[in-house]
Amino acid sequence: MKMVYIAIITIIMLSFGSIQGYAQPKECPVLSELEQTSIEDKQEVIDALNTLIPKTYGTGIDDFSDIYTEWNVVTAKPFPKTVGNKEEEDYFGMAKNFCGKEIAEKSWLVRLDFPKAPGANLAQGQIFLAKSKEKGWFVWFQYH
């Protein structure tokens, strides 16, 4: 009986490991196409969210058709400005791991709260943004 429990726990752990490994961007931004930005661009980022959030999240899911129609910005800052804040700095580490230090340093973390969402998992969002020299702001990774 003890072996059965060990086997079940092992299968569960392997399953969670594969789920965590799945969270990666489809493709990384091209460094030469990115514009240098700074914290001075924060209002521009917030304004761009009016277009980016509906493109990224849509309006809702199944029985909750409008949960992503309202949001609050919890954090909007260039990744280098997250250093020193453990929770936010972890996302910087993810961005560096996914696409390299140079891409991460030209990207932003935006953390969102969706007040219409029915639960904690749906109520929180994290997106990684960058600014293209030609096309403006875009989301290159959606974590939640």
Side-chain angles (χ1 to χ4, degrees):
M1 191 62 159
K2 194 175 194 180
M3 292 301 288
V4 171
Y5 288 126
I6 292 172
I8 291 171
I9 290 171
T10 302
I11 291 168
I12 291 170
M13 289 175 65
L14 290 173
S15 296
F16 283 124
S18 65
I19 291 169
Q20 290 174 345
Y22 181 75
Q24 295 187 32
K26 291 177 184 158
E27 62 183 56
C28 292
V30 176
L31 183 61
S32 63
E33 295 175 3
L34 298 182
E35 190 171 309
Q36 185 64 46
T37 61
S38 73
I39 194 68
E40 304 297 319
D41 299 306
K42 184 175 181 174
Q43 188 58 51
E44 188 179 321
V45 169
I46 290 171
D47 292 344
L49 294 176
N50 291 319
T51 302
L52 297 174
I53 290 174
K55 277 187 193 175
T56 304
Y57 289 92
T59 56
I61 56 172
D62 300 328
D63 295 334
F64 306 102
S65 62
D66 69 341
I67 62 173
Y68 298 123
T69 58
E70 291 180 21
W71 61 86
N72 299 311
V73 176
V74 177
T75 299
K77 60 176 81 165
F79 272 118
K81 294 287 185 187
T82 65
V83 174
N85 179 319
K86 180 62 178 149
E87 184 176 6
E88 294 176 354
E89 191 172 6
D90 288 345
Y91 293 110
F92 188 25
M94 286 174 62
K96 288 189 281 190
N97 184 49
F98 290 155
C99 295
K101 183 180 177 190
E102 294 84 6
I103 298 290
E105 288 178 343
K106 287 192 169 192
S107 298
W108 285 60
L109 169 65
V110 175
R111 294 175 52 223
L112 303 162
D113 172 62
F114 296 101
K116 290 185 175 184
N121 283 343
L122 294 175
Q124 299 174 12
Q126 302 86 25
I127 51 178
F128 299 1
L129 308 178
K131 188 174 184 183
S132 164
K133 292 175 183 175
E134 293 185 18
K135 298 178 184 173
W137 293 100
F138 65 98
V139 174
W140 63 265
F141 180 65
Q142 174 190 355
Y143 187 61
H144 281 120

